[in-house]
Amino acid sequence: MPGIARALHQLPLITEASAAGELSYSKVRAITRVIGTDTSALVRIAAQLAAGTSGIRNATVTDPGTAEKILLSIARHGTASHLETLIRAARQLIAPPEDLAARRSVTWRWADDGCLELRVRLTPDQGATLIAAIEAQTPKRKPTAPDPEPVPADLVERAREQEPGLVVDGVPARRADALLALVTGHTDAGTVVERGNAEVVVHVDASTRTARLDGGPTLAPATAARLACDAKVQLLLDDRTGNRMYLGRSRRLASDAQVRALTARDGQRCQFPGCPHTRYLNAHHIIPWEVGGPTDIDNLIMICSFHHKVVHEHGYEIDRVDGRWVFRRPDGTPVPDAAEPLSGKAESLVEMHARARLCIDHTTISSKWEGDSLDVDYVLSLLLLPKRITPAA
């Protein structure tokens, strides 16, 4: 986002069209990959031409103003997919396929807050395969009616309890969840209850009850408590000097017989109110295992991984009342049986547009595309002009 903002300082026509609601964010982002920054495609091609390292012969890059007008016309009369196609074609002029394959990589680092930052570089076809797999696992947001007035008092709680939870940006968060589902094998056609061999090792200090990932950062106590219920996690208890004492408890995880009983009692679905999940459920300890909670049928409940995290990390409590489960929020109020899905409010957006004297309606951002194919070679010929050869005297 900061890079796009910097690029727009060099692109007055694109900035004006975007402010007027004519261009979507996807189109603006695509354009800034071609022009507007020191690393954009046309700038890199121009540098290669000047250095004589480009595979393009007898060509020169058109001036920035003309390039901006060309790309603006394509954005207005085409789709974001057209611009992405143009970007791929321009970038392929920068590096041959063998160079792209040689630079493929996966790297990661632990951020200061303990989160993992992953960086992946793949060839175009490999990248398309990965994107298709992630998008296939990403739930599509269903259109909903506008939020009722006034705003519900439990808005924050409801947002926390509905996937993907309280997140900065819902779409990237859902894609992150989809990627993790692909890695763990948690696709739609899977088992009801999480079972299997341990994949993650967590060190728990026997005296302080602090926890950390094996080879990774320290974990929050609530996160460690949640992982204690997880069949994919191996708990390694250490003494004060860090020496290994013993591996878990024989009764930390529910037995096969208990899982069958839980499945029959809880109906093969997550017991959190309104949750539709029926796959990869966790047998959650109502009284936490690490504080002495037994792994008995009366102390276990089936919940999905998302609501397992909500319960542990936000202080929700669970009670069995008259043969049914009651979930209580941190303030003690019960979670409604089935809350209405949240949706955005359009009123504030309309007011903002009115203050800016913008007349934006449902047709403003519509493309003027009439269905014809994008001629990539023709567009590139406009951006990369034939170089004039001065005749010898």
Side-chain angles (χ1 to χ4, degrees), residues 269-289:
R269 70 172 184 84
C270 174
Q271 294 301 291
F272 197 93
C275 182
H277 284 289
T278 59
R279 292 288 184 269
Y280 301 105
L281 306 179
N282 299 141
H284 165 68
H285 290 72
I286 298 171
I287 300 175
W289 173 85

PDB file of all heavy atoms in Angstrom, residues 269-289:
ATOM      1  N   ARG A 269     -20.616 -31.972  14.921  1.00  0.00           N
ATOM      2  CA  ARG A 269     -20.436 -30.583  14.484  1.00  0.00           C
ATOM      3  C   ARG A 269     -19.907 -29.758  15.646  1.00  0.00           C
ATOM      4  O   ARG A 269     -20.007 -30.149  16.817  1.00  0.00           O
ATOM      5  CB  ARG A 269     -21.742 -29.991  13.975  1.00  0.00           C
ATOM      6  CG  ARG A 269     -22.784 -29.745  15.053  1.00  0.00           C
ATOM      7  CD  ARG A 269     -23.983 -28.980  14.497  1.00  0.00           C
ATOM      8  NE  ARG A 269     -24.945 -28.660  15.552  1.00  0.00           N
ATOM      9  CZ  ARG A 269     -24.841 -27.601  16.349  1.00  0.00           C
ATOM     10  NH1 ARG A 269     -23.809 -26.771  16.214  1.00  0.00           N
ATOM     11  NH2 ARG A 269     -25.749 -27.363  17.282  1.00  0.00           N
ATOM     12  N   CYS A 270     -19.340 -28.600  15.302  1.00  0.00           N
ATOM     13  CA  CYS A 270     -18.859 -27.679  16.321  1.00  0.00           C
ATOM     14  C   CYS A 270     -20.031 -27.200  17.167  1.00  0.00           C
ATOM     15  O   CYS A 270     -21.096 -26.857  16.648  1.00  0.00           O
ATOM     16  CB  CYS A 270     -18.171 -26.484  15.653  1.00  0.00           C
ATOM     17  SG  CYS A 270     -17.663 -25.167  16.797  1.00  0.00           S
ATOM     18  N   GLN A 271     -19.837 -27.185  18.495  1.00  0.00           N
ATOM     19  CA  GLN A 271     -20.922 -26.836  19.405  1.00  0.00           C
ATOM     20  C   GLN A 271     -21.054 -25.344  19.663  1.00  0.00           C
ATOM     21  O   GLN A 271     -21.969 -24.927  20.384  1.00  0.00           O
ATOM     22  CB  GLN A 271     -20.716 -27.569  20.737  1.00  0.00           C
ATOM     23  CG  GLN A 271     -20.837 -29.076  20.627  1.00  0.00           C
ATOM     24  CD  GLN A 271     -22.193 -29.504  20.098  1.00  0.00           C
ATOM     25  OE1 GLN A 271     -23.206 -29.361  20.785  1.00  0.00           O
ATOM     26  NE2 GLN A 271     -22.237 -30.023  18.883  1.00  0.00           N
ATOM     27  N   PHE A 272     -20.158 -24.523  19.106  1.00  0.00           N
ATOM     28  CA  PHE A 272     -20.296 -23.084  19.291  1.00  0.00           C
ATOM     29  C   PHE A 272     -21.561 -22.623  18.570  1.00  0.00           C
ATOM     30  O   PHE A 272     -21.823 -23.023  17.433  1.00  0.00           O
ATOM     31  CB  PHE A 272     -19.077 -22.347  18.738  1.00  0.00           C
ATOM     32  CG  PHE A 272     -18.946 -20.933  19.232  1.00  0.00           C
ATOM     33  CD1 PHE A 272     -18.173 -20.659  20.348  1.00  0.00           C
ATOM     34  CD2 PHE A 272     -19.597 -19.888  18.596  1.00  0.00           C
ATOM     35  CE1 PHE A 272     -18.051 -19.349  20.826  1.00  0.00           C
ATOM     36  CE2 PHE A 272     -19.487 -18.588  19.061  1.00  0.00           C
ATOM     37  CZ  PHE A 272     -18.713 -18.320  20.182  1.00  0.00           C
ATOM     38  N   PRO A 273     -22.375 -21.780  19.207  1.00  0.00           N
ATOM     39  CA  PRO A 273     -23.656 -21.377  18.609  1.00  0.00           C
ATOM     40  C   PRO A 273     -23.518 -20.823  17.204  1.00  0.00           C
ATOM     41  O   PRO A 273     -22.722 -19.920  16.944  1.00  0.00           O
ATOM     42  CB  PRO A 273     -24.162 -20.292  19.577  1.00  0.00           C
ATOM     43  CG  PRO A 273     -23.538 -20.640  20.888  1.00  0.00           C
ATOM     44  CD  PRO A 273     -22.180 -21.185  20.548  1.00  0.00           C
ATOM     45  N   GLY A 274     -24.298 -21.403  16.289  1.00  0.00           N
ATOM     46  CA  GLY A 274     -24.342 -20.924  14.915  1.00  0.00           C
ATOM     47  C   GLY A 274     -23.236 -21.420  14.019  1.00  0.00           C
ATOM     48  O   GLY A 274     -23.225 -21.108  12.827  1.00  0.00           O
ATOM     49  N   CYS A 275     -22.257 -22.186  14.533  1.00  0.00           N
ATOM     50  CA  CYS A 275     -21.127 -22.635  13.706  1.00  0.00           C
ATOM     51  C   CYS A 275     -21.532 -23.840  12.864  1.00  0.00           C
ATOM     52  O   CYS A 275     -22.074 -24.814  13.394  1.00  0.00           O
ATOM     53  CB  CYS A 275     -19.926 -22.980  14.586  1.00  0.00           C
ATOM     54  SG  CYS A 275     -18.486 -23.501  13.611  1.00  0.00           S
ATOM     55  N   PRO A 276     -21.241 -23.819  11.557  1.00  0.00           N
ATOM     56  CA  PRO A 276     -21.629 -24.935  10.692  1.00  0.00           C
ATOM     57  C   PRO A 276     -20.555 -25.999  10.500  1.00  0.00           C
ATOM     58  O   PRO A 276     -20.784 -26.983   9.792  1.00  0.00           O
ATOM     59  CB  PRO A 276     -21.899 -24.223   9.358  1.00  0.00           C
ATOM     60  CG  PRO A 276     -20.895 -23.100   9.346  1.00  0.00           C
ATOM     61  CD  PRO A 276     -20.733 -22.672  10.780  1.00  0.00           C
ATOM     62  N   HIS A 277     -19.368 -25.830  11.080  1.00  0.00           N
ATOM     63  CA  HIS A 277     -18.254 -26.740  10.799  1.00  0.00           C
ATOM     64  C   HIS A 277     -18.530 -28.158  11.299  1.00  0.00           C
ATOM     65  O   HIS A 277     -18.988 -28.363  12.432  1.00  0.00           O
ATOM     66  CB  HIS A 277     -16.969 -26.221  11.428  1.00  0.00           C
ATOM     67  CG  HIS A 277     -16.356 -25.071  10.677  1.00  0.00           C
ATOM     68  ND1 HIS A 277     -15.760 -25.214   9.452  1.00  0.00           N
ATOM     69  CD2 HIS A 277     -16.267 -23.748  10.971  1.00  0.00           C
ATOM     70  CE1 HIS A 277     -15.328 -24.038   9.021  1.00  0.00           C
ATOM     71  NE2 HIS A 277     -15.627 -23.130   9.934  1.00  0.00           N
ATOM     72  N   THR A 278     -18.204 -29.124  10.429  1.00  0.00           N
ATOM     73  CA  THR A 278     -18.395 -30.538  10.770  1.00  0.00           C
ATOM     74  C   THR A 278     -17.134 -31.360  10.541  1.00  0.00           C
ATOM     75  O   THR A 278     -17.175 -32.582  10.622  1.00  0.00           O
ATOM     76  CB  THR A 278     -19.536 -31.142   9.923  1.00  0.00           C
ATOM     77  OG1 THR A 278     -19.195 -31.014   8.525  1.00  0.00           O
ATOM     78  CG2 THR A 278     -20.858 -30.440  10.188  1.00  0.00           C
ATOM     79  N   ARG A 279     -16.002 -30.713  10.257  1.00  0.00           N
ATOM     80  CA  ARG A 279     -14.763 -31.441   9.967  1.00  0.00           C
ATOM     81  C   ARG A 279     -13.624 -30.890  10.811  1.00  0.00           C
ATOM     82  O   ARG A 279     -13.601 -29.722  11.171  1.00  0.00           O
ATOM     83  CB  ARG A 279     -14.396 -31.321   8.479  1.00  0.00           C
ATOM     84  CG  ARG A 279     -15.357 -32.053   7.542  1.00  0.00           C
ATOM     85  CD  ARG A 279     -15.182 -33.561   7.641  1.00  0.00           C
ATOM     86  NE  ARG A 279     -16.010 -34.289   6.692  1.00  0.00           N
ATOM     87  CZ  ARG A 279     -17.241 -34.719   6.952  1.00  0.00           C
ATOM     88  NH1 ARG A 279     -17.781 -34.478   8.142  1.00  0.00           N
ATOM     89  NH2 ARG A 279     -17.921 -35.380   6.052  1.00  0.00           N
ATOM     90  N   TYR A 280     -12.681 -31.761  11.149  1.00  0.00           N
ATOM     91  CA  TYR A 280     -11.459 -31.411  11.881  1.00  0.00           C
ATOM     92  C   TYR A 280     -11.780 -30.677  13.189  1.00  0.00           C
ATOM     93  O   TYR A 280     -11.243 -29.624  13.485  1.00  0.00           O
ATOM     94  CB  TYR A 280     -10.516 -30.578  11.000  1.00  0.00           C
ATOM     95  CG  TYR A 280     -10.109 -31.290   9.738  1.00  0.00           C
ATOM     96  CD1 TYR A 280     -10.659 -30.943   8.511  1.00  0.00           C
ATOM     97  CD2 TYR A 280      -9.205 -32.355   9.788  1.00  0.00           C
ATOM     98  CE1 TYR A 280     -10.307 -31.620   7.352  1.00  0.00           C
ATOM     99  CE2 TYR A 280      -8.846 -33.035   8.638  1.00  0.00           C
ATOM    100  CZ  TYR A 280      -9.396 -32.665   7.421  1.00  0.00           C
ATOM    101  OH  TYR A 280      -9.048 -33.349   6.282  1.00  0.00           O
ATOM    102  N   LEU A 281     -12.662 -31.276  13.960  1.00  0.00           N
ATOM    103  CA  LEU A 281     -13.037 -30.710  15.248  1.00  0.00           C
ATOM    104  C   LEU A 281     -12.020 -31.098  16.314  1.00  0.00           C
ATOM    105  O   LEU A 281     -11.328 -32.108  16.209  1.00  0.00           O
ATOM    106  CB  LEU A 281     -14.435 -31.191  15.647  1.00  0.00           C
ATOM    107  CG  LEU A 281     -15.541 -30.947  14.611  1.00  0.00           C
ATOM    108  CD1 LEU A 281     -16.862 -31.503  15.125  1.00  0.00           C
ATOM    109  CD2 LEU A 281     -15.675 -29.469  14.299  1.00  0.00           C
ATOM    110  N   ASN A 282     -11.930 -30.279  17.350  1.00  0.00           N
ATOM    111  CA  ASN A 282     -11.039 -30.547  18.481  1.00  0.00           C
ATOM    112  C   ASN A 282     -11.854 -30.961  19.693  1.00  0.00           C
ATOM    113  O   ASN A 282     -12.930 -30.414  19.946  1.00  0.00           O
ATOM    114  CB  ASN A 282     -10.216 -29.309  18.839  1.00  0.00           C
ATOM    115  CG  ASN A 282      -9.329 -28.836  17.697  1.00  0.00           C
ATOM    116  OD1 ASN A 282      -9.183 -27.647  17.479  1.00  0.00           O
ATOM    117  ND2 ASN A 282      -8.741 -29.757  16.960  1.00  0.00           N
ATOM    118  N   ALA A 283     -11.330 -31.914  20.468  1.00  0.00           N
ATOM    119  CA  ALA A 283     -11.934 -32.288  21.745  1.00  0.00           C
ATOM    120  C   ALA A 283     -11.364 -31.346  22.804  1.00  0.00           C
ATOM    121  O   ALA A 283     -10.258 -31.541  23.299  1.00  0.00           O
ATOM    122  CB  ALA A 283     -11.628 -33.741  22.076  1.00  0.00           C
ATOM    123  N   HIS A 284     -12.119 -30.308  23.113  1.00  0.00           N
ATOM    124  CA  HIS A 284     -11.658 -29.246  24.012  1.00  0.00           C
ATOM    125  C   HIS A 284     -11.916 -29.609  25.470  1.00  0.00           C
ATOM    126  O   HIS A 284     -12.998 -30.091  25.826  1.00  0.00           O
ATOM    127  CB  HIS A 284     -12.380 -27.945  23.660  1.00  0.00           C
ATOM    128  CG  HIS A 284     -12.264 -26.882  24.702  1.00  0.00           C
ATOM    129  ND1 HIS A 284     -11.076 -26.252  24.993  1.00  0.00           N
ATOM    130  CD2 HIS A 284     -13.203 -26.346  25.538  1.00  0.00           C
ATOM    131  CE1 HIS A 284     -11.282 -25.363  25.951  1.00  0.00           C
ATOM    132  NE2 HIS A 284     -12.558 -25.397  26.299  1.00  0.00           N
ATOM    133  N   HIS A 285     -10.907 -29.358  26.339  1.00  0.00           N
ATOM    134  CA  HIS A 285     -11.060 -29.537  27.778  1.00  0.00           C
ATOM    135  C   HIS A 285     -11.748 -28.305  28.361  1.00  0.00           C
ATOM    136  O   HIS A 285     -11.212 -27.199  28.288  1.00  0.00           O
ATOM    137  CB  HIS A 285      -9.698 -29.707  28.448  1.00  0.00           C
ATOM    138  CG  HIS A 285      -9.022 -31.011  28.137  1.00  0.00           C
ATOM    139  ND1 HIS A 285      -8.485 -31.281  26.903  1.00  0.00           N
ATOM    140  CD2 HIS A 285      -8.805 -32.117  28.907  1.00  0.00           C
ATOM    141  CE1 HIS A 285      -7.944 -32.487  26.917  1.00  0.00           C
ATOM    142  NE2 HIS A 285      -8.132 -33.024  28.118  1.00  0.00           N
ATOM    143  N   ILE A 286     -12.927 -28.483  28.948  1.00  0.00           N
ATOM    144  CA  ILE A 286     -13.647 -27.359  29.548  1.00  0.00           C
ATOM    145  C   ILE A 286     -12.858 -26.807  30.729  1.00  0.00           C
ATOM    146  O   ILE A 286     -12.642 -25.606  30.845  1.00  0.00           O
ATOM    147  CB  ILE A 286     -15.061 -27.804  29.973  1.00  0.00           C
ATOM    148  CG1 ILE A 286     -15.846 -28.254  28.733  1.00  0.00           C
ATOM    149  CG2 ILE A 286     -15.788 -26.666  30.690  1.00  0.00           C
ATOM    150  CD1 ILE A 286     -17.165 -28.901  29.050  1.00  0.00           C
ATOM    151  N   ILE A 287     -12.437 -27.678  31.631  1.00  0.00           N
ATOM    152  CA  ILE A 287     -11.444 -27.304  32.642  1.00  0.00           C
ATOM    153  C   ILE A 287     -10.086 -27.623  32.023  1.00  0.00           C
ATOM    154  O   ILE A 287      -9.816 -28.772  31.686  1.00  0.00           O
ATOM    155  CB  ILE A 287     -11.628 -28.088  33.951  1.00  0.00           C
ATOM    156  CG1 ILE A 287     -13.020 -27.824  34.529  1.00  0.00           C
ATOM    157  CG2 ILE A 287     -10.550 -27.711  34.967  1.00  0.00           C
ATOM    158  CD1 ILE A 287     -13.331 -28.649  35.766  1.00  0.00           C
ATOM    159  N   PRO A 288      -9.232 -26.635  31.815  1.00  0.00           N
ATOM    160  CA  PRO A 288      -7.995 -26.851  31.069  1.00  0.00           C
ATOM    161  C   PRO A 288      -7.169 -28.022  31.590  1.00  0.00           C
ATOM    162  O   PRO A 288      -7.051 -28.225  32.801  1.00  0.00           O
ATOM    163  CB  PRO A 288      -7.249 -25.521  31.225  1.00  0.00           C
ATOM    164  CG  PRO A 288      -8.322 -24.516  31.458  1.00  0.00           C
ATOM    165  CD  PRO A 288      -9.365 -25.224  32.253  1.00  0.00           C
ATOM    166  N   TRP A 289      -6.600 -28.756  30.645  1.00  0.00           N
ATOM    167  CA  TRP A 289      -5.791 -29.926  31.002  1.00  0.00           C
ATOM    168  C   TRP A 289      -4.582 -29.543  31.828  1.00  0.00           C
ATOM    169  O   TRP A 289      -4.221 -30.235  32.783  1.00  0.00           O
ATOM    170  CB  TRP A 289      -5.359 -30.621  29.708  1.00  0.00           C
ATOM    171  CG  TRP A 289      -4.389 -31.743  29.908  1.00  0.00           C
ATOM    172  CD1 TRP A 289      -4.670 -33.041  30.210  1.00  0.00           C
ATOM    173  CD2 TRP A 289      -2.967 -31.655  29.823  1.00  0.00           C
ATOM    174  NE1 TRP A 289      -3.528 -33.781  30.315  1.00  0.00           N
ATOM    175  CE2 TRP A 289      -2.450 -32.949  30.088  1.00  0.00           C
ATOM    176  CE3 TRP A 289      -2.071 -30.631  29.551  1.00  0.00           C
ATOM    177  CZ2 TRP A 289      -1.095 -33.229  30.084  1.00  0.00           C
ATOM    178  CZ3 TRP A 289      -0.715 -30.902  29.553  1.00  0.00           C
ATOM    179  CH2 TRP A 289      -0.234 -32.186  29.825  1.00  0.00           C
TER     180      TRP A 289
END
